C-alpha cells in the first residue's frame, strides 16, 4: 500500500508539472497566433516524438523527455546587415526556397549563419508579414512574457485558496495557548529526551498548568501574544509568577516559580543564554489571509527567489560535491523534477500525516516549482524568455532614442548576435540540470532529513 501511495504521489507531481509546462507554452502560442504570427510546432518534452497531430499549420505533440517544452514561432531571427535572404530554387511541391548567404567566416559567425538559414527554411510565400521579428516590440514582449506569466499565475491560483483556508505553512503564529507542558527541565541540547529521576520538575507542571489552557496574564500583565509571554517568562529569571489562565471558559490563578536555564534566544541565534523558564509549548497556527496577503507573500518569495538564483551555481556545485562524497548534501539545495517527484511520493506515502496535510504539501510543491520556473524564465538571458523580452525592450528604447534625436530608424534588434551567449547559457543550464537529476538519484533529499 505504501509503495502504491508513493507511486501515486510521484505520478501526481509529474503530471502536474507536465500540465504546467503545457500551459506555459500555451502562454506563448495563444498571443503569437492572436498577433498573426506563424506557429509551426507546439511540443511538451524534448527528444524523440511520442505522439503528434497536425492541426492547421501547427503540429501539436508530446516528446519522450519530459524536461520542458517549446513552441516554434517562425521568424525569430531577422536577416542581419551582412546577410541576404535569396531564392534557392523550389521544393517538390513547387514552393520557392530561400537561403541566407553570409559573407563572413568564423566559428560564432558560422553558428549565427546556420541558425539564420535554418530559420529561413521554414518561411513560405505569404509569411513575410507574419515573422516574429517584424512584430512591434510590445507584441514581442507579450508573446515571450506569456509563458512565465502563466507559471506565476498557476502559483497564485494555488497559493491564494490554500492561504485563505488552510493557511500558510511557512508563516506560522504562536498563540498564548498551551499545546504541551514539559514534565521536567532538561538542557536545550537534549530537548527531545525523556525525563530522568534526577531532572528537576518543570515550573508549569508543578503549578498544574495543562495543555489547552489559555494564558491570560503574567504577574498582572495582560498577554496579547506568545512573543510577549515569552519575554515576560525569560525576564522573570527564578522569580515568583502569578499566572491567570482560562480553562474550559473560566479564569483561575496559578502560582509558579520560574527557573533559570540556558536557552537559545531565537531560531536564528542558537547561542544559549541564561533565561527564565516555565516549561510550556504554545499552539502554533498557520497564518491565513486573502488575495492581498497572498500577493504580499509572493512579493517576499520574489526576493527570496532572486537571491536563490544568484547562489544557484554555488548550490549546484555543492550538490556535485555531494554526489562524489566530498560533503553532505545541503538540505536547502535545489532539486530537479526527479527530486520533486521523490518528495511528493514521500509526502503521500507518509502514514502519520493527515490527508489534508498531504494534499497541501503537494499543492505547495507544485506551486513552488511553477513560481521558480516563472521567475527563472524572466532572467534577461537567452535562450530564456527574458532574453527575448530584453531584446524587444532594447529595440523599443533604441528606436525611441533615434526618433528623439531625429536619426534614421535603426530597425529591428538582431537577436541572432546574442546566440553565442545563448549557447553558453544553454549549456550551463543543461549541465546544472543533469547534476541536479543525478544528485536527486544518488544523494536525494528526504522529508525526514
Amino acid at each position: 500500500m505504501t509503495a502504491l501511495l508513493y507511486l501515486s504521489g510521484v505520478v501526481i507531481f509529474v503530471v502536474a508539472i507536465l500540465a504546467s509546462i503545457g500551459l506555459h507554452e500555451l502562454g506563448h502560442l495563444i498571443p503569437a497566433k492572436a498577433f498573426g504570427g506563424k506557429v509551426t510546432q507546439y511540443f511538451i518534452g524534448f527528444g524523440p516524438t511520442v505522439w503528434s497531430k497536425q492541426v492547421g499549420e501547427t503540429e501539436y505533440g508530446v516528446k519522450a523527455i519530459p524536461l520542458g517544452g517549446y513552441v516554434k514561432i517562425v521568424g525569430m531571427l531577422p536577416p542581419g546587415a551582412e546577410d541576404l535572404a535569396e531564392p534557392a530554387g523550389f521544393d517538390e511541391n513547387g514552393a520557392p526556397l530561400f537561403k541566407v548567404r553570409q559573407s563572413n567566416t568564423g566559428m560564432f559567425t558560422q553558428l549565427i549563419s546556420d541558425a539564420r538559414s535554418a530559420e529561413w527554411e521554414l518561411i513560405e510565400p505569404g509569411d513575410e508579414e507574419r515573422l516574429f521579428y517584424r512584430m512591434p516590440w510590445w507584441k514581442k514582449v507579450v508573446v515571450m512574457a506569456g509563458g512565465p506569466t502563466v507559471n506565476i499565475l498557476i502559483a497564485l491560483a494555488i497559493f491564494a485558496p490554500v492561504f485563505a483556508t488552510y493557511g500558510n505553512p511557512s508563516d506560522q503564529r504562536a498563540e498564548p495557548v498551551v499545546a504541551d507542558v514539559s514534565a521536567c527541565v532538561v538542557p536545550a541540547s537534549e530537548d527531545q529526551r525523556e525525563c530522568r529521576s534526577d531532572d528537576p520538575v518543570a515550573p508549569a507542571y508543578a503549578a498544574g498548568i495543562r495543555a489547552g489552557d489559555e494564558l491570560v496574564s503574567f504577574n498582572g500583565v495582560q498577554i496579547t501574544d506568545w512573543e510577549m509571554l515569552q519575554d515576560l517568562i525569560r525576564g522573570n529569571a527564578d522569580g515568583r509568577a502569578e499566572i491567570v489562565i482560562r480553562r474550559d471558559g473560566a479564569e483561575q490563578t496559578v502560582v509558579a516559580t520560574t527557573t533559570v536555564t540556558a536557552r537559545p534566544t531565537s531560531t536564528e541565534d542558537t547561542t544559549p543564554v541564561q533565561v527564565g523558564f516555565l516549561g510550556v509549548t504554545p499552539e502554533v497556527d498557520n497564518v491565513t489571509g486573502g488575495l492581498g496577503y497572498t500577493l504580499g507573500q509572493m512579493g517576499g518569495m520574489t526576493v527570496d527567489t532572486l537571491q536563490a538564483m544568484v547562489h544557484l551555481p554555488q548550490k549546484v556545485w555543492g550538490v556535485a560535491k555531494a554526489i562524489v562524497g566530498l560533503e553532505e548534501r545541503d538540505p536547502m539545495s535545489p532539486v530537479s523534477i526527479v527530486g520533486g517527484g521523490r518528495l511528493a511520493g514521500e509526502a503521500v506515502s507518509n502514514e502519520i500525516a493527515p490527508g489534508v496535510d498531504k494534499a497541501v504539501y503537494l499543492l505547495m510543491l507544485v506551486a513552488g516549482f511553477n513560481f521558480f520556473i516563472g521567475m527563472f524564465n524572466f532572467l534577461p538571458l537567452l535562450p530564456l524568455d527574458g532574453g527575448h523580452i530584453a531584446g524587444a525592450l532594447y529595440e523599443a528604447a533604441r528606436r525611441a532614442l533615434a526618433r528623439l534625436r531625429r536619426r534614421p530608424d535603426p530597425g529591428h534588434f538582431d537577436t541572432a548576435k546574442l546566440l553565442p551567449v545563448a549557447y553558453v547559457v544553454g549549456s550551463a543550464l543543461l549541465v546544472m540540470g543533469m547534476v541536479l537529476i543525478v544528485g536527486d538519484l544518488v544523494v536525494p533529499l528526504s522529508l525526514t532529513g
Side-chain angles (χ1 to χ4, degrees), residues 96-435:
L97 297 175
F98 297 89
K99 70 177 182 179
V100 177
R101 187 179 71 242
Q102 173 60 254
S103 59
N104 296 323
T105 59
M107 182 180 69
F108 287 126
T109 302
Q110 188 61 48
L111 287 173
I112 294 173
S113 179
D114 291 344
R116 292 191 204 277
S117 298
E119 193 78 18
W120 278 80
E121 287 175 1
L122 300 174
I123 298 174
E124 299 176 349
D127 289 345
E128 292 78 14
E129 298 304 317
R130 304 181 64 194
L131 303 180
F132 178 81
Y133 84 88
R134 290 195 174 189
M135 288 184 183
W137 69 269
W138 64 270
K139 290 186 178 181
K140 296 179 187 176
V141 170
V142 171
V143 171
M144 299 314 300
T149 298
V150 166
N151 290 116
I152 292 174
L153 290 176
I154 291 172
L156 175 62
I158 294 175
F159 285 139
V162 170
F163 291 170
T165 55
Y166 181 88
N168 183 359
S170 299
D171 185 15
Q172 298 182 323
R173 178 175 52 227
E175 302 290 348
V177 177
V178 179
D180 185 55
V181 179
S182 301
C184 61
V185 181
V186 299
S189 59
E190 305 174 30
D191 200 35
Q192 300 301 316
R193 73 165 171 81
E194 296 291 331
C195 289
R196 299 170 184 165
S197 58
D198 58 342
D199 289 328
V201 177
Y205 187 86
I209 296 175
R210 301 200 307 245
D213 289 346
E214 179 184 354
L215 304 179
V216 179
S217 69
F218 187 93
N219 281 339
V221 179
Q222 291 295 120
I223 299 167
T224 57
D225 54 47
W226 172 255
E227 287 74 18
M228 177 184 182
L229 174 61
Q230 192 175 47
D231 289 341
L232 291 171
I233 294 171
R234 292 187 169 192
N236 199 58
D238 56 356
R240 183 176 184 273
E242 289 189 5
I243 306 170
V244 176
I245 64 173
R246 183 178 290 115
R247 180 183 297 168
D248 299 327
E251 292 187 0
Q252 63 183 83
T253 301
V254 298
V255 178
T257 301
T258 55
T259 188
V260 174
T261 185
R263 287 290 185 270
T265 56
S266 67
T267 55
E268 291 79 20
D269 185 0
T270 58
T271 305
V273 177
Q274 295 291 326
V275 293
F277 177 80
L278 182 62
V280 291
T281 302
E283 287 188 356
V284 178
D285 297 322
N286 297 332
V287 175
T288 59
L291 182 59
Y293 170 81
T294 302
L295 292 175
Q297 289 296 301
M298 291 180 72
M301 292 177 202
T302 299
V303 175
D304 294 340
T305 302
L306 292 174
Q307 293 174 344
M309 290 178 190
V310 172
H311 299 289
L312 183 61
Q314 178 184 350
K315 291 283 189 180
V316 174
W317 177 243
V319 174
K321 290 194 288 185
I323 291 172
V324 296
L326 295 179
E327 62 181 43
E328 294 292 325
R329 183 169 181 178
D330 183 354
M332 300 303 294
S333 63
V335 297
S336 67
I337 188 174
V338 174
R342 296 187 70 142
L343 293 174
E346 282 191 35
V348 172
S349 61
N350 188 307
E351 297 178 350
I352 299 175
V356 65
D357 290 351
K358 297 178 183 180
V360 167
Y361 182 83
L362 275 177
L363 287 170
M364 296 294 285
L365 192 62
V366 172
F369 262 79
N370 271 279
F371 189 78
F372 182 83
I373 290 170
M375 293 297 300
F376 191 78
N377 269 282
F378 272 121
L379 287 178
L381 295 170
L382 288 176
L384 301 174
D385 299 328
H388 294 283
I389 294 171
L393 293 175
Y394 174 75
E395 176 183 311
R398 187 174 65 167
R399 284 181 151 176
L401 184 60
R403 286 195 297 271
L404 287 174
R405 300 174 65 182
R406 301 183 184 279
R407 299 286 181 85
D409 186 350
H412 302 286
F413 174 66
D414 189 3
T415 311
K417 293 181 178 179
L418 297 179
L419 284 178
V421 175
Y423 295 140
V424 173
V425 173
S427 298
L429 293 178
L430 179 62
V431 170
M432 288 195 291
M434 293 306 298
V435 168

